[in-house]
Amino acid sequence: CINEKGQKERLVMIHCAVMGSIERFMAILLEHFNGALPFWLSPVQIAILPLTDWQNRYAETIYDKLKKLEFRVEVNDRNETIGKKIRDGELQKIPYLLIVGPKEEKEKKVAVRQRQKGDLGIMRLDKFLELTL
């Protein structure tokens, strides 16, 4: 290339593709984990599934506690069967599903399902939090 003085000089170009790099990195992560991102990276870490509308208030209480601890959590209070809610959570590859029914509400506990491990049983919320740390 010829510079403004009429002399030949070698050009050096620095290429920075920040967004392309991020997109490629996310694509590699999703492919590597087959969409089942680790707990710390999942967009939704915990889903709370009330068995019936009667448990929605208890589910919201648990939601508030987990949100204060800065977990990415959601409540699936749609009017569907619990089997459908669990299937949806598994298809979305949510790491933990907390099922709350009348028994769990009465005992102030949650039934825990972990992705790929299945049912972990009924436990107190603080016991569940030990699993996630």
Side-chain angles (χ1 to χ4, degrees):
C1 200
I2 307 293
N3 66 15
E4 50 288 330
K5 294 179 184 175
Q7 302 168 339
K8 286 186 175 184
E9 75 178 25
R10 183 181 299 253
L11 284 180
V12 177
M13 182 185 300
I14 299 173
H15 176 68
C16 181
V18 176
M19 290 312 292
S21 298
I22 291 172
E23 290 169 354
R24 281 191 298 278
F25 177 70
M26 284 305 297
I28 290 167
L29 271 178
L30 289 171
E31 184 177 352
H32 177 75
F33 288 111
N34 197 21
L37 295 171
F39 180 76
W40 61 271
L41 189 58
S42 291
V44 177
Q45 296 171 314
I46 303 165
I48 305 167
L49 314 176
L51 198 58
T52 66
D53 291 343
W54 293 97
Q55 286 79 44
N56 284 351
R57 182 174 289 151
Y58 180 56
E60 290 295 331
T61 303
I62 294 169
Y63 172 86
D64 292 339
K65 289 178 183 177
L66 294 173
K67 201 68 172 167
K68 283 180 186 173
L69 295 170
E70 298 185 357
F71 286 103
R72 292 182 298 277
V73 60
E74 66 180 25
V75 177
N76 182 346
D77 57 0
R78 295 184 309 233
N79 190 15
E80 297 173 337
T81 65
I82 194 66
K84 173 110 172 72
K85 291 179 185 181
I86 291 171
R87 249 186 330 276
D88 286 348
E90 288 175 349
L91 286 174
Q92 293 176 30
K93 301 189 179 191
I94 299 172
Y96 288 100
L97 303 176
L98 304 182
I99 295 117
V100 292
K103 180 180 176 183
E104 290 82 10
E105 183 177 16
K106 183 179 176 184
E107 298 175 3
K108 301 295 181 206
K109 295 183 177 181
V110 292
V112 180
R113 290 184 63 87
Q114 187 177 8
R115 178 180 62 212
Q116 297 174 339
K117 290 187 180 177
D119 187 16
L120 300 181
I122 298 173
M123 59 186 76
R124 292 172 31 117
L125 190 59
D126 58 343
K127 176 80 171 159
F128 164 71
L129 291 174
E130 290 175 10
L131 290 174
T132 64
L133 299 177

